[in-house]
Amino acid sequence: MTELPGHPHIAFRGADLFIEDVRLGDLATAHGTPLFVYSKAAMLAALAAYQRGFAGRRATVCYAMKANPSLAVLQLFAQAGCGFDIVSGGELERVMAAGADPAKVIFSGVGKTRAEMRRALQAGIGCFNVESESELEVLSEVASACGVTAPVSIRVNPNVDAKTHPYISTGLKGNKFGVAHEHTLQAYRRAAQLPGLTVVGIDCHIGSQITDGAPYLDAMDRVLELVAAIEAAGIALHHIDFGGGLGIDYNGDRPPAADALWAQLFAKLDARGFGDRHFMVEPGRSLVGNAGVCLTEVLYLKPGEQKNFCIVDAAMNDLPRPAMYEAYHGIVPLSRRAGPSSTYDVVGPICESGDWLGRDRELSALPGDRLAVLSAGAYCMSMASNYNSRGRAAEVLVDGAKAHLIRERETVADQLRGERLLPAT
Ligand code: LLP
């Protein structure tokens, strides 16, 4: 058995790639391609690293469901005791449908609408992570009109550099997120005065795919300075929500493990006397990213003077991260073959040069072979689109030797539903 580094529960047994005890080639044959396949054990192992880090503490892991919002994935995390970080009314309905405890749901995002606030208040969510002073005013108004008070924390923008891709860095002054560090105390004073709000915590999220612990430690220092100042002003903070953002190994990346990172953070928290608070985290990618693969079939090989292309049936509508962030995803065959290999750009059928999944990859492949795009459990299916009128892929969740279809492949009828032709003239 050859484990793929960084991908627990995905391994070659002989020539064939397995996820847990299921041969991926069998799933591609049974369900067709493109197909997303997830390992339940890998998701629970990733969660266990956080749970180990929080052993003996008061803490809630709120899965940032934007990474992978499929109902069965939400159900798995709800049953494992997780709360959820949501960012829209749609996400709220999904977590409720999956059986989440509303008291463990926190609502993040810079642009919550009044309708979304009302629905979340009716559902009884645990906390609104408020991102601006104007949002505080609106939320207070909406809650008062509903005859309730809204539990709030304010998202601090600590102005630290998470050293990640600019599109997924959120904790710097130039970002649209959070309330500037220097305005936070004043925002808390306002929140404490507003009739429709109850202050419950403080919140911070500095970015995504963070592979270095230092920005977290810096951000924690900045947040703790504020906690001290806010409490000195007579406003109690019951929880500290430290956001998500921990990276995964896409291409030899070495992010700290969640438990090791939290051991360092707790050393700081304990030293400063804050270790007894209720902690929340909002991990997305680190819980699901390396638990999933996307299976795809080679359609054509197209040798060229400058480049060889390996054209596959998955595309940027299924896997948008390479096109959006020039992100790297490993690509391996479902069945290793002996034989000559060449260097290919692995590309999809979409009519854009940006439709690539991997560049300069050494592969031994023939039309009809199947490949696995790795690290596809987070921000792939959740960002998939119907571009080029391509239906979205099916999803399977593997549990030991069992494979459960958790989402059917989208049909043309699904795509056309809700559209109308113009009336006949
Ligand atoms: N909390 C908040 C407030 C967030 O905005 C995010 C992610 C998370 C938690 C979860 O972060 P994670 O643990 O997954 O890094 N589409 C991009 C990633 C966008 C992340 C947006 N916010 C990508 O594919 O890399």
Side-chain angles (χ1 to χ4, degrees):
M1 196 160 92
T2 327
E3 289 251 347
L4 299 183
H7 297 79
H9 302 284
I10 303 175
F12 280 101
R13 295 186 191 173
D16 291 342
L17 190 63
F18 278 69
I19 192 163
E20 301 195 28
D21 295 325
V22 175
R23 185 184 284 108
L24 283 164
D26 293 344
L27 293 179
T29 304
H31 300 283
T33 50
L35 180 72
F36 285 93
V37 185
Y38 310 120
S39 156
K40 174 178 168 181
M43 290 184 187
L44 293 180
L47 174 62
Y50 283 93
Q51 289 167 331
R52 279 195 303 275
F54 291 133
R57 309 276 180 170
R58 290 189 300 140
T60 312
V61 178
C62 293
Y63 168 50
M65 60 173 289
K66 62 169 82 69
N68 187 326
S70 295
L71 286 180
V73 172
L74 302 178
Q75 180 190 22
L76 183 71
F77 285 121
Q79 284 170 357
C82 289
F84 295 92
D85 172 51
I86 64 166
V87 290
S88 72
E91 289 200 341
L92 176 60
E93 300 308 331
R94 271 187 179 272
V95 289
M96 300 299 282
D101 173 358
K104 289 192 196 168
V105 172
I106 53 181
F107 194 167
S108 301
V110 294
K112 304 174 193 79
T113 65
R114 286 167 192 261
E116 287 173 326
M117 290 172 175
R118 264 193 296 275
R119 177 71 188 107
L121 287 166
Q122 280 159 4
I125 68 160
C127 187
F128 289 82
N129 288 346
V130 173
E131 301 225 12
S132 63
E133 294 194 49
S134 36
E135 186 189 337
L136 284 176
E137 306 286 334
V138 172
L139 182 58
S140 173
E141 218 178 282
V142 172
S144 298
C146 296
V148 294
T149 59
V152 296
S153 80
I154 293 178
R155 175 168 173 186
V156 184
N157 183 333
N159 196 23
V160 300
D161 186 356
K163 300 193 187 77
T164 182
H165 189 283
Y167 283 11
I168 53 177
S169 175
T170 55
L172 275 170
K173 264 195 171 163
N175 297 128
K176 69 178 174 182
F177 298 101
V179 172
H181 187 263
E182 59 274 24
H183 295 145
T184 307
L185 180 55
Q186 165 194 329
Y188 269 99
R189 286 209 164 100
R190 183 70 188 134
Q193 284 166 356
L194 285 167
L197 305 182
T198 308
V199 171
V200 292
I202 190 164
D203 151 55
C204 162
H205 169 81
I206 55 175
S208 199
Q209 186 52 21
I210 300 168
T211 52
D212 176 5
Y216 277 111
L217 292 161
D218 290 349
M220 184 60 93
D221 280 333
R222 310 273 288 162
V223 169
L224 293 183
E225 275 165 32
L226 281 171
V227 174
I230 294 161
E231 295 201 327
I235 303 167
L237 298 174
H238 304 293
H239 77 243
I240 299 176
D241 173 352
F242 212 48
L246 190 56
I248 60 169
D249 179 1
Y250 283 103
N251 187 20
D253 307 292
R254 292 274 164 271
D259 47 352
L261 175 65
W262 275 93
Q264 281 184 295
L265 288 167
F266 277 125
K268 204 178 260 301
L269 283 158
D270 289 337
R272 299 186 55 174
F274 293 110
D276 61 341
R277 299 303 161 103
H278 187 156
F279 293 94
M280 294 191 186
V281 279
E282 305 166 1
R285 188 191 320 263
S286 52
L287 293 184
V288 292
N290 273 348
V293 294
C294 180
L295 310 185
T296 182
E297 183 175 319
V298 177
L299 300 174
Y300 303 102
L301 296 179
K302 189 170 173 181
E305 263 175 39
Q306 290 186 3
K307 287 258 179 201
N308 299 317
F309 292 102
C310 172
I311 302 169
V312 298
D313 67 357
M316 67 189 280
N317 74 300
D318 306 296
L319 293 156
R321 303 192 68 258
M324 279 184 81
Y325 318 112
E326 302 203 22
Y328 181 98
H329 286 258
I331 301 178
V332 296
L334 295 199
S335 226
R336 286 197 282 211
R337 62 162 71 248
S341 64
S342 299
T343 305
Y344 294 99
D345 275 12
V346 180
V347 301
I350 283 183
C351 304
E352 295 222 21
S353 298
D355 181 25
W356 57 276
L357 306 181
R359 286 180 168 151
D360 299 324
R361 303 301 175 87
E362 194 67 22
L363 287 172
S364 165
L366 290 174
D369 285 357
R370 279 93 48 103
L371 307 174
V373 179
L374 305 179
S375 312
Y379 302 114
C380 291
M381 189 62 183
S382 65
M383 298 203 298
S385 77
N386 291 124
Y387 190 36
N388 280 208
S389 293
R390 290 165 52 88
R392 284 177 301 160
E395 294 179 299
V396 167
L397 192 132
V398 167
D399 178 9
K402 283 189 285 211
H404 305 282
L405 181 68
I406 60 165
R407 186 196 296 260
E408 293 174 10
R409 188 172 300 288
E410 200 174 19
T411 64
V412 173
D414 292 333
Q415 282 194 64
L416 299 189
R417 183 172 308 125
E419 293 193 43
R420 301 277 183 279
L421 291 172
L422 292 171
T425 48

